[in-house]
Amino acid sequence: MSSVTLDHVYKRFGNAKGVEDVHIHIESGEFFTFLGPSGCGKTTTLRMIAGFYFPTEGQIRFGSQEVTALPPHKRNTGMVFQNYALFPHMTVFENIAFGLQVRKINKTDTKERALRIMKLVRLEGYGDRRIDQLSGGQQQRVALARALVIEPQILLLDEPLSNLDAKLREETRFEIKRLQLELGITTIYVTHDQAEAMSMSDRIMVMQSGEVQQIGTPHEIYHHPVNRFVASFIGETNLWEGTVVGIEGDEVKVRIASGHVLSGLKQNASPRARLTEGETITMSIRPESVQESTVTEGANVVSGSVEMSEFTGACVNYTTMVGQEQLRSMSINLGRPVKQRGDSIGLHIPKESIYFAG
Ligand SMILES: Nc1ncnc2c1ncn2[C@@H]1O[C@H](COP(=O)(O)OP(=O)(O)O)[C@@H](O)[C@H]1O
Ligand SMILES: [Mg+2]
């Protein structure tokens, strides 16, 4: 186990920017995720940690050891590649044992360690199968076993679930988390899937265009996104513009385009300095916090006309036009009649659920 530090790391490919000024400290034993859309620099950052790319600037350390210029085989990291990169002509056992043979571990120990790891990832009895005789999920577990068998200090996973179908993805997500908790291994996980990131990680680094947007726990980045990009990338949200029309103590009143006034945005919810009257701000309001109201007027109640309703069994989702703005809401089905397109509706936006988003 080891902590990992990236100290103001940059990677440029010729003139093209790969990643810029990544500055993070990942704790020993932490499950840390790089999250962001395709092309934002997740793989580039992971490859620098593995030693497949060297930074243009900056330093990388494992614990107190500097590894910035060390080649991959001197770093004791185990990596699972997005396409697994297994040896198709070799058996499961040969694939898993390969890393140990390269490290000149004797035959008896190699066999013992490979069998132990096969048991850990639930591949017992599959040792003699060829890779092309395995399902996608089994291949994924071979890739994981191959990374773990060398007993790495740091496990690096690059979109390890992207080739699996939805159901298997969820099961495997749980398996990876179980292994990580059992082994207590420092794990860096790359994904573009926010649900995967939220459900597995201790902390998440959200990236866009090679730049770090926010680092925090799933709870922090969900409830306190630092900007519009993070707010809309992590889960669904309503982004509403409004004008600050009053400040009372710690609480800010905001008028939205429809004329409704929302109160209760916390002054200290802004990562900027204090908000001032008259300025335009963006608020983030999560659909699950907006609730159907029995009234159409009142404190933090907005009214509008239902544009679309979805009944999923467990939930009732509305898209409502409030003036010219859409408001998405999502409620647990409590057995009330479901409103239809064109019906008028009142929606309550609890003040604790209004966040500043820029
Ligand atoms: N070997 C390379 N040569 C040139 N550009 C690269 C190379 N690897 C990555 N890039 C560029 O760096 C950026 C980040 O890529 P990448 O780290 O693969 O993104 P992600 O894994 O988040 O999808 C992209 O613009 C990509 O085109
Ligand atoms: Mg990638």
Side-chain angles (χ1 to χ4, degrees):
M1 301 325 98
S2 174
S3 66
V4 177
T5 305
L6 277 74
D7 198 347
H8 298 289
V9 166
Y10 291 71
K11 178 70 187 173
R12 293 184 202 95
F13 298 102
N15 284 333
K17 119 172 146 183
V19 296
E20 273 195 0
D21 201 18
V22 179
H23 191 68
I24 45 173
H25 177 76
I26 299 166
E27 300 290 343
S28 180
E30 191 171 10
F31 195 113
F32 193 96
T33 296
F34 301 163
L35 173 67
S38 177
C40 73
K42 306 179 295 295
T43 297
T44 301
T45 311
L46 200 71
R47 291 179 79 94
M48 287 192 285
I49 296 171
F52 296 114
Y53 287 164
F54 298 120
T56 312
E57 266 180 61
Q59 245 197 18
I60 300 177
R61 292 187 293 277
F62 293 172
S64 56
Q65 188 202 1
E66 190 186 340
V67 299
T68 317
L70 281 187
H73 64 275
K74 295 204 170 150
R75 293 196 188 200
N76 205 16
T77 54
M79 180 141 169
V80 173
F81 296 88
Q82 186 162 359
N83 58 6
Y84 309 149
L86 298 171
F87 305 117
H89 57 285
M90 291 196 211
T91 65
V92 168
F93 179 86
E94 287 164 349
N95 265 276
I96 296 172
F98 184 78
L100 297 176
Q101 284 155 2
V102 171
R103 284 168 176 75
K104 308 270 187 276
I105 309 285
N106 71 47
K107 263 197 165 149
T108 320
D109 288 350
T110 296
K111 186 159 186 203
E112 195 264 321
R113 280 168 68 172
L115 290 178
R116 181 153 40 90
I117 219 80
M118 282 166 62
K119 191 169 171 197
L120 190 70
V121 301
R122 307 197 169 144
L123 277 173
E124 277 166 305
Y126 284 91
D128 294 333
R129 290 265 193 115
R130 276 206 330 265
I131 297 304
D132 58 11
Q133 297 171 317
L134 299 178
S135 71
Q138 288 164 340
Q139 290 184 16
Q140 203 278 336
R141 280 183 278 156
V142 177
L144 201 56
R146 198 178 56 171
L148 288 171
V149 77
I150 60 165
E151 294 171 6
Q153 286 182 294
I154 300 155
L155 179 63
L156 306 172
L157 304 166
D158 194 355
E159 312 231 14
L161 307 184
S162 57
N163 296 327
L164 307 180
D165 62 42
K167 185 158 185 316
L168 198 56
R169 249 198 324 261
E170 263 181 44
E171 284 169 23
T172 314
R173 183 157 111 185
F174 178 78
E175 274 297 288
I176 290 178
K177 187 69 198 176
R178 176 184 69 85
L179 279 174
Q180 190 261 342
L181 290 171
E182 257 171 45
L183 302 171
I185 189 168
T186 310
T187 300
I188 307 177
Y189 189 93
V190 163
T191 183
H192 63 271
D193 181 319
Q194 57 94 19
E196 229 170 85
M198 295 286 287
S199 63
M200 299 173 84
S201 315
D202 294 316
R203 283 190 303 156
I204 297 171
M205 171 166 87
V206 184
M207 303 177 76
Q208 186 197 21
S209 313
E211 289 175 31
V212 178
Q213 302 294 310
Q214 186 168 6
I215 298 170
T217 63
H219 194 276
E220 280 162 0
I221 61 166
Y222 190 79
H223 286 297
H224 302 286
V226 293
N227 57 33
R228 290 181 77 111
F229 173 78
V230 177
S232 52
F233 194 75
I234 308 295
E236 201 188 334
T237 195
N238 297 286
L239 290 172
W240 269 7
E241 294 218 326
T243 308
V244 175
V245 291
I247 297 172
E248 276 165 28
D250 189 29
E251 291 198 348
V252 180
K253 280 190 179 11
V254 181
R255 188 191 300 114
I256 55 175
S258 62
H260 293 100
V261 172
L262 301 176
S263 56
L265 178 76
K266 288 275 178 283
Q267 175 70 295
N268 62 11
S270 163
R272 282 203 310 230
R274 299 183 74 77
L275 300 172
T276 52
E277 232 172 287
E279 78 175 297
T280 306
I281 62 164
T282 304
M283 296 171 286
S284 163
I285 301 165
R286 296 287 183 192
E288 72 274 15
S289 61
V290 179
Q291 296 302 316
E292 188 178 350
S293 166
T294 48
V295 295
T296 52
E297 271 179 64
N300 284 21
V301 173
V302 297
S303 53
S305 150
V306 173
E307 188 178 52
M308 197 167 77
S309 67
E310 290 169 342
F311 175 71
T312 68
C315 291
V316 182
N317 306 329
Y318 291 120
T319 304
T320 302
M321 291 310 291
V322 176
Q324 301 297 309
E325 306 256 20
Q326 275 191 347
L327 180 62
R328 294 268 298 151
S329 60
M330 185 189 295
S331 323
I332 300 292
N333 170 26
L334 297 173
R336 281 197 232 157
V338 177
K339 295 213 164 175
Q340 299 302 321
R341 184 179 167 84
D343 288 350
S344 62
I345 189 170
L347 294 159
H348 179 229
I349 303 176
K351 62 180 186 180
E352 323 70 65
S353 67
I354 306 170
Y355 293 98
F356 180 82

Coordinates of all heavy atoms in Angstrom, one line a residue, residues 44-97:
T44 N -4.4 9.5 -19.7 CA -3.1 10.2 -19.8 C -2.5 10.3 -18.3 O -1.4 9.9 -18.1 CB -3.2 11.6 -20.4 OG1 -3.7 11.4 -21.7 CG2 -1.8 12.3 -20.4
T45 N -3.4 10.7 -17.4 CA -3.0 10.8 -16.0 C -2.6 9.5 -15.4 O -1.6 9.3 -14.7 CB -4.1 11.5 -15.2 OG1 -4.5 12.7 -15.9 CG2 -3.6 11.9 -13.8
L46 N -3.5 8.5 -15.7 CA -3.2 7.1 -15.2 C -1.9 6.5 -15.7 O -1.2 5.9 -15.0 CB -4.4 6.2 -15.5 CG -4.6 5.0 -14.7 CD1 -5.0 5.3 -13.3 CD2 -5.6 4.0 -15.3
R47 N -1.7 6.8 -17.0 CA -0.5 6.2 -17.7 C 0.8 6.9 -17.1 O 1.8 6.2 -17.0 CB -0.6 6.4 -19.2 CG -1.6 5.5 -19.8 CD -1.7 5.7 -21.3 NE -0.6 5.0 -22.0 CZ -0.7 3.8 -22.5 NH1 -1.9 3.1 -22.5 NH2 0.3 3.2 -23.1
M48 N 0.7 8.1 -16.7 CA 1.8 8.7 -16.0 C 2.1 8.1 -14.7 O 3.2 8.0 -14.2 CB 1.6 10.2 -15.9 CG 1.7 11.0 -17.2 SD 1.8 12.7 -17.0 CE 0.1 13.2 -16.6
I49 N 1.0 7.7 -14.0 CA 1.2 7.0 -12.7 C 1.8 5.6 -12.9 O 2.7 5.2 -12.1 CB -0.1 7.0 -11.9 CG1 -0.6 8.4 -11.6 CG2 0.0 6.2 -10.6 CD1 -2.0 8.5 -11.1
A50 N 1.4 4.9 -14.0 CA 1.9 3.6 -14.2 C 3.4 3.7 -14.8 O 4.1 2.7 -14.8 CB 1.0 2.9 -15.2
G51 N 3.7 4.8 -15.4 CA 5.1 4.9 -16.0 C 5.1 4.7 -17.5 O 6.1 4.7 -18.1
F52 N 3.9 4.6 -18.2 CA 3.8 4.5 -19.6 C 4.0 5.8 -20.3 O 4.4 5.9 -21.5 CB 2.5 3.8 -20.1 CG 2.4 2.4 -19.6 CD1 1.4 2.1 -18.6 CD2 3.3 1.4 -20.0 CE1 1.3 0.8 -18.2 CE2 3.2 0.1 -19.5 CZ 2.2 -0.2 -18.6
Y53 N 3.7 6.9 -19.6 CA 4.0 8.2 -20.1 C 4.8 8.9 -19.0 O 4.6 8.7 -17.8 CB 2.7 9.1 -20.3 CG 1.9 8.7 -21.5 CD1 0.5 9.2 -21.5 CD2 2.3 8.0 -22.6 CE1 -0.3 9.0 -22.6 CE2 1.5 7.7 -23.6 CZ 0.2 8.2 -23.6 OH -0.7 8.0 -24.7
F54 N 5.7 9.8 -19.4 CA 6.4 10.6 -18.5 C 5.9 12.1 -18.5 O 5.6 12.6 -19.6 CB 7.9 10.6 -18.7 CG 8.5 9.2 -18.6 CD1 9.1 8.6 -19.6 CD2 8.4 8.5 -17.4 CE1 9.6 7.3 -19.5 CE2 8.9 7.2 -17.3 CZ 9.5 6.6 -18.3
P55 N 5.7 12.7 -17.4 CA 5.2 14.1 -17.3 C 6.1 15.1 -18.1 O 7.3 14.9 -18.1 CB 5.1 14.5 -15.9 CG 5.3 13.2 -15.1 CD 6.0 12.2 -16.0
T56 N 5.5 16.1 -18.7 CA 6.3 17.2 -19.3 C 6.9 18.0 -18.2 O 8.0 18.6 -18.3 CB 5.4 18.0 -20.2 OG1 4.6 17.1 -21.1 CG2 6.2 19.0 -21.1
E57 N 6.1 18.2 -17.1 CA 6.5 19.0 -16.0 C 5.9 18.3 -14.7 O 4.8 17.7 -14.8 CB 5.9 20.4 -16.1 CG 6.7 21.4 -16.7 CD 6.0 22.8 -16.7 OE1 5.6 23.3 -15.6 OE2 5.7 23.3 -17.8
G58 N 6.5 18.6 -13.6 CA 5.9 18.1 -12.4 C 6.5 16.8 -11.9 O 7.3 16.2 -12.6
Q59 N 6.1 16.4 -10.7 CA 6.7 15.2 -10.0 C 5.6 14.2 -9.6 O 4.5 14.6 -9.3 CB 7.3 15.7 -8.7 CG 8.8 15.6 -8.7 CD 9.3 15.7 -7.3 OE1 8.6 15.5 -6.3 NE2 10.6 15.9 -7.2
I60 N 6.0 12.9 -9.6 CA 5.1 11.9 -9.1 C 5.8 11.2 -8.0 O 7.0 10.8 -8.2 CB 4.6 10.9 -10.2 CG1 3.9 11.7 -11.3 CG2 3.7 9.8 -9.7 CD1 3.5 10.9 -12.5
R61 N 5.1 11.0 -6.9 CA 5.7 10.2 -5.8 C 4.8 9.1 -5.3 O 3.5 9.3 -5.2 CB 6.0 11.2 -4.6 CG 7.1 12.2 -4.9 CD 7.4 13.0 -3.6 NE 6.3 13.9 -3.2 CZ 6.1 15.1 -3.7 NH1 6.9 15.6 -4.6 NH2 5.1 15.8 -3.2
F62 N 5.4 8.0 -4.9 CA 4.6 6.9 -4.2 C 5.1 7.0 -2.8 O 6.3 6.7 -2.6 CB 4.9 5.5 -4.8 CG 4.4 5.3 -6.2 CD1 4.7 4.2 -6.9 CD2 3.5 6.3 -6.8 CE1 4.2 4.0 -8.2 CE2 3.0 6.1 -8.1 CZ 3.4 5.0 -8.8
G63 N 4.3 7.3 -1.8 CA 4.8 7.5 -0.5 C 5.8 8.7 -0.6 O 5.6 9.7 -1.2
S64 N 7.1 8.5 -0.1 CA 8.1 9.5 -0.2 C 9.0 9.3 -1.3 O 9.9 10.1 -1.6 CB 8.8 9.6 1.2 OG 9.4 8.4 1.4
Q65 N 8.8 8.2 -2.0 CA 9.7 7.8 -3.2 C 9.3 8.5 -4.4 O 8.2 8.4 -4.9 CB 9.7 6.3 -3.4 CG 10.7 5.8 -4.4 CD 10.4 4.5 -5.0 OE1 9.3 3.9 -4.8 NE2 11.3 4.0 -5.9
E66 N 10.3 9.2 -5.0 CA 10.0 9.9 -6.3 C 10.1 8.8 -7.4 O 11.0 8.1 -7.5 CB 10.9 11.0 -6.6 CG 10.4 11.7 -7.8 CD 11.2 12.9 -8.4 OE1 12.1 13.4 -7.7 OE2 11.0 13.2 -9.6
V67 N 9.0 8.8 -8.3 CA 9.0 7.8 -9.4 C 8.8 8.4 -10.7 O 8.7 7.7 -11.7 CB 7.8 6.7 -9.2 CG1 8.0 6.0 -7.8 CG2 6.5 7.4 -9.2
T68 N 8.9 9.7 -10.8 CA 8.6 10.5 -12.0 C 9.2 9.8 -13.3 O 8.5 9.7 -14.3 CB 9.0 11.9 -11.9 OG1 8.7 12.4 -10.6 CG2 8.4 12.8 -13.0
A69 N 10.4 9.4 -13.2 CA 11.1 9.0 -14.5 C 11.4 7.5 -14.4 O 12.1 6.9 -15.3 CB 12.4 9.7 -14.6
L70 N 10.8 6.7 -13.5 CA 11.0 5.3 -13.4 C 10.2 4.6 -14.5 O 9.0 5.0 -14.7 CB 10.5 4.7 -12.1 CG 11.4 4.9 -10.9 CD1 10.8 4.1 -9.7 CD2 12.8 4.4 -11.2
P71 N 10.7 3.6 -15.2 CA 9.9 2.8 -16.1 C 8.9 1.9 -15.4 O 9.0 1.7 -14.2 CB 11.0 1.9 -16.8 CG 12.1 1.8 -15.8 CD 12.1 3.1 -15.1
P72 N 7.8 1.5 -16.1 CA 6.7 0.8 -15.5 C 7.1 -0.4 -14.6 O 6.6 -0.6 -13.5 CB 5.9 0.3 -16.6 CG 6.2 1.2 -17.8 CD 7.6 1.7 -17.6
H73 N 8.1 -1.2 -15.1 CA 8.4 -2.5 -14.3 C 9.1 -2.2 -13.0 O 9.3 -3.1 -12.2 CB 9.2 -3.4 -15.2 CG 10.5 -2.9 -15.6 ND1 10.7 -2.1 -16.7 CD2 11.7 -3.1 -15.1 CE1 12.0 -1.8 -16.9 NE2 12.6 -2.4 -15.9
K74 N 9.5 -0.9 -12.8 CA 10.2 -0.6 -11.5 C 9.2 0.1 -10.6 O 9.6 0.6 -9.5 CB 11.4 0.3 -11.8 CG 12.4 -0.4 -12.6 CD 13.8 0.2 -12.3 CE 14.9 -0.7 -13.0 NZ 16.0 0.1 -13.4
R75 N 7.9 0.1 -10.9 CA 7.0 0.8 -10.1 C 6.0 0.0 -9.2 O 5.2 0.5 -8.5 CB 6.1 1.7 -11.0 CG 6.9 2.8 -11.6 CD 6.0 3.9 -12.1 NE 6.8 4.8 -12.9 CZ 6.4 6.1 -13.2 NH1 5.2 6.5 -12.8 NH2 7.2 6.8 -13.8
N76 N 6.0 -1.2 -9.4 CA 5.0 -2.1 -8.6 C 3.6 -1.6 -8.6 O 2.9 -1.4 -7.5 CB 5.6 -2.2 -7.1 CG 5.0 -3.4 -6.5 OD1 4.5 -4.3 -7.2 ND2 5.1 -3.5 -5.2
T77 N 3.1 -1.2 -9.8 CA 1.7 -1.0 -9.9 C 1.1 -2.1 -10.8 O 1.8 -2.7 -11.6 CB 1.5 0.4 -10.7 OG1 2.2 0.3 -11.9 CG2 1.9 1.6 -9.9
G78 N -0.2 -2.4 -10.5 CA -0.9 -3.4 -11.3 C -1.9 -2.6 -12.1 O -2.7 -1.8 -11.6
M79 N -2.0 -2.8 -13.4 CA -2.9 -2.1 -14.2 C -3.8 -3.0 -15.0 O -3.4 -4.0 -15.6 CB -2.1 -1.2 -15.2 CG -3.0 -0.3 -16.1 SD -2.3 1.3 -16.3 CE -3.3 2.0 -17.6
V80 N -5.1 -2.6 -15.0 CA -6.1 -3.2 -15.9 C -6.4 -2.2 -17.0 O -6.9 -1.1 -16.7 CB -7.4 -3.6 -15.1 CG1 -8.5 -4.1 -16.1 CG2 -7.1 -4.6 -14.1
F81 N -6.1 -2.6 -18.3 CA -6.4 -1.7 -19.4 C -7.8 -1.8 -19.8 O -8.5 -2.8 -19.6 CB -5.4 -2.1 -20.5 CG -4.0 -1.9 -20.2 CD1 -3.3 -2.9 -19.6 CD2 -3.3 -0.7 -20.5 CE1 -1.9 -2.8 -19.3 CE2 -2.0 -0.5 -20.2 CZ -1.3 -1.6 -19.6
Q82 N -8.2 -0.8 -20.5 CA -9.6 -0.7 -21.0 C -10.0 -1.9 -21.8 O -11.1 -2.5 -21.7 CB -9.8 0.6 -21.8 CG -11.3 0.8 -22.1 CD -11.5 2.3 -22.5 OE1 -10.7 3.1 -22.4 NE2 -12.8 2.6 -22.8
N83 N -9.1 -2.3 -22.7 CA -9.4 -3.5 -23.6 C -8.8 -4.8 -23.0 O -8.7 -5.8 -23.7 CB -8.9 -3.3 -25.0 CG -7.4 -3.0 -25.0 OD1 -6.7 -3.1 -23.9 ND2 -6.8 -2.7 -26.1
Y84 N -8.4 -4.8 -21.7 CA -7.8 -5.9 -21.0 C -6.4 -6.3 -21.4 O -5.6 -6.7 -20.6 CB -8.7 -7.2 -21.0 CG -10.1 -6.9 -20.6 CD1 -11.2 -7.7 -21.2 CD2 -10.5 -5.9 -19.7 CE1 -12.5 -7.5 -20.8 CE2 -11.8 -5.7 -19.4 CZ -12.8 -6.5 -19.9 OH -14.1 -6.3 -19.6
A85 N -6.1 -6.2 -22.7 CA -4.8 -6.6 -23.2 C -4.3 -7.9 -22.7 O -3.2 -8.1 -22.3 CB -3.8 -5.4 -22.9
L86 N -5.2 -8.9 -22.8 CA -4.8 -10.3 -22.4 C -4.1 -10.9 -23.6 O -4.2 -10.5 -24.7 CB -6.1 -11.1 -22.0 CG -6.8 -10.6 -20.9 CD1 -8.2 -11.3 -20.7 CD2 -6.0 -10.7 -19.6
F87 N -3.3 -12.0 -23.3 CA -2.7 -12.8 -24.3 C -3.6 -13.9 -24.8 O -3.9 -14.8 -24.1 CB -1.4 -13.4 -23.8 CG -0.4 -12.5 -23.2 CD1 -0.1 -12.6 -21.8 CD2 0.1 -11.4 -23.9 CE1 0.8 -11.7 -21.2 CE2 1.0 -10.5 -23.3 CZ 1.3 -10.6 -22.0
P88 N -4.2 -13.7 -26.0 CA -5.3 -14.6 -26.5 C -4.9 -16.0 -26.7 O -5.7 -16.9 -26.5 CB -5.8 -13.9 -27.8 CG -4.6 -13.1 -28.2 CD -3.9 -12.7 -27.0
H89 N -3.6 -16.3 -27.0 CA -3.2 -17.6 -27.3 C -2.8 -18.4 -26.0 O -2.4 -19.5 -26.1 CB -2.0 -17.6 -28.3 CG -0.9 -16.7 -27.8 ND1 -0.9 -15.4 -27.8 CD2 0.3 -17.1 -27.2 CE1 0.2 -14.9 -27.3 NE2 0.9 -15.9 -26.9
M90 N -2.8 -17.7 -24.9 CA -2.4 -18.4 -23.6 C -3.6 -18.7 -22.8 O -4.7 -18.1 -23.0 CB -1.5 -17.4 -22.8 CG -0.2 -17.2 -23.4 SD 0.8 -16.5 -22.0 CE 1.9 -15.4 -22.8
T91 N -3.5 -19.6 -21.9 CA -4.6 -20.0 -21.0 C -4.7 -18.9 -19.9 O -3.9 -18.1 -19.7 CB -4.3 -21.4 -20.3 OG1 -3.2 -21.2 -19.4 CG2 -4.0 -22.5 -21.3
V92 N -5.8 -19.1 -19.1 CA -6.1 -18.2 -18.0 C -4.9 -18.3 -17.0 O -4.3 -17.2 -16.6 CB -7.4 -18.7 -17.3 CG1 -7.5 -18.0 -15.9 CG2 -8.6 -18.4 -18.2
F93 N -4.4 -19.5 -16.7 CA -3.3 -19.6 -15.7 C -2.1 -19.0 -16.3 O -1.4 -18.2 -15.6 CB -3.0 -21.1 -15.5 CG -1.9 -21.3 -14.5 CD1 -2.1 -21.3 -13.1 CD2 -0.6 -21.5 -15.0 CE1 -1.0 -21.4 -12.3 CE2 0.5 -21.6 -14.2 CZ 0.3 -21.6 -12.8
E94 N -1.8 -19.2 -17.6 CA -0.6 -18.6 -18.2 C -0.6 -17.1 -18.2 O 0.4 -16.4 -17.9 CB -0.3 -19.1 -19.6 CG 0.1 -20.6 -19.6 CD -0.1 -21.2 -21.0 OE1 -0.7 -20.7 -21.9 OE2 0.4 -22.3 -21.1
N95 N -1.8 -16.5 -18.5 CA -2.0 -15.1 -18.4 C -1.7 -14.5 -17.0 O -1.0 -13.5 -16.9 CB -3.4 -14.7 -18.8 CG -3.5 -14.3 -20.3 OD1 -3.2 -13.2 -20.7 ND2 -3.8 -15.3 -21.1
I96 N -2.2 -15.2 -16.0 CA -2.1 -14.7 -14.7 C -0.7 -14.9 -14.2 O -0.1 -14.0 -13.5 CB -3.1 -15.4 -13.7 CG1 -4.5 -15.0 -14.2 CG2 -2.9 -15.0 -12.3 CD1 -5.6 -15.8 -13.5
A97 N 0.0 -16.0 -14.5 CA 1.3 -16.3 -14.0 C 2.4 -15.5 -14.7 O 3.5 -15.4 -14.2 CB 1.6 -17.8 -14.2

